Structures are given as C-alpha cells and as structure tokens.
Amino acid sequence: MSDATKLLGRAGENFAAQFLLDEGYKIITRNYRIKTAEIDIIAEKDGVIVFVEVKTREDLNHGLPMEAVNKRKQKKIIEAARVFLQNESYFDCACRFDVIEVYAFGEVFSAHHIENAFEVQSEF
C-alpha cells in the first residue's frame, strides 16, 4: 500500500469519525486490532455498539467502497468484534456492523453511512 493510499485512508477515517460524532455517536475506540484483524471505529449510540468499517475512494475505478467489504473482510471484522465484546465485558448488548463509504474529491469529503451493512450468519 502506497503512502498516498495510507494518507487517504487515514483522512477518510478521520472524516468518518467526525461524521459519527456529528450524528450523535460516541466513539469508544479507533483502530481496534487483534492479531488477524482490525476494526476502524467502534462507536455507541442509543445503547447499540456499532462496529464501523471505513472505505475511502477518490474515484470508482475499483468499484464502490462497500464492494471491498467482502465475506472474508466481514469474517475478520466479526472475529475482532467478538474479541472486543469479550475483553471489554459487553455481554448481552445490541450490536451491528456498519460501513461508511467516504468519497474524497480533492479537499472535499462526503460520507454514505450504511447501517447494518452485513450481519453475522451464525450465533454471535
């Protein structure tokens, strides 16, 4: 991954975090990592823990940002969410998995928030 791509991704995550704050979410943590996965943003709103994957694009040459959150990526996010919930002692809480697509047009950013972008297919 190039430095420019990393910088774009970081800028997109920062924009998405501010977007969530503006929408009334509380940011619990960012860039939560386990050995095999990372969750970009973990937030809470109205008693629901929200695991957010942020995908940033300058153009659509590689498809829509959401398309990059494939089954393999979803599985990794779910795995990290399980560890987070267990380690932080969140038991019997409502949670969901969202994707925020960030579009960067020069210095102008916009966000498309997809709530419940994917679901856990088995017992969580």
Side-chain angles (χ1 to χ4, degrees), residues 2 6 12 20 22 29 32-33 35 38 44 49-50 59 61 66-68 74 86 92 98-99 103 105:
S2 73
K6 287 178 187 175
L20 289 170
D22 292 345
T29 192
Y32 179 80
R33 297 177 198 276
K35 189 174 185 177
E38 177 187 358
E44 182 272 331
I49 304 298
V50 183
D59 56 50
N61 292 342
M66 177 62 194
E67 293 171 347
Q74 291 174 22
Q86 182 177 19
D92 297 324
D98 292 4
V99 171
Y103 296 93
F105 303 103

Side-chain angles (χ1 to χ4, degrees), residues 29-71:
T29 192
R30 291 181 57 184
N31 304 112
Y32 179 80
R33 297 177 198 276
I34 62 171
K35 189 174 185 177
T36 58
E38 177 187 358
I39 300 173
D40 294 327
I41 301 171
I42 302 174
E44 182 272 331
K45 185 175 181 184
D46 299 329
V48 177
I49 304 298
V50 183
F51 300 98
V52 181
E53 177 67 10
V54 180
K55 290 296 180 189
T56 306
R57 297 286 186 269
E58 291 180 299
D59 56 50
L60 298 179
N61 292 342
H62 296 95
L64 294 172
M66 177 62 194
E67 293 171 347
V69 188
N70 58 29
K71 292 291 183 193

Side-chain angles (χ1 to χ4, degrees), residues 58-100:
E58 291 180 299
D59 56 50
L60 298 179
N61 292 342
H62 296 95
L64 294 172
M66 177 62 194
E67 293 171 347
V69 188
N70 58 29
K71 292 291 183 193
R72 182 173 178 266
K73 181 73 172 173
Q74 291 174 22
K75 184 177 178 183
K76 288 181 172 286
I77 294 167
I78 291 166
E79 177 184 344
R82 281 188 177 118
V83 172
F84 173 81
L85 292 170
Q86 182 177 19
N87 287 349
E88 300 301 319
S89 300
Y90 284 99
F91 300 108
D92 297 324
C93 67
C95 62
R96 70 173 197 251
F97 297 91
D98 292 4
V99 171
I100 296 182

Side-chain angles (χ1 to χ4, degrees), residues 98-117:
D98 292 4
V99 171
I100 296 182
E101 297 178 320
V102 175
Y103 296 93
F105 303 103
E107 301 280 323
V108 177
F109 287 77
S110 66
H112 177 226
H113 186 183
I114 305 165
E115 295 183 8
N116 292 304

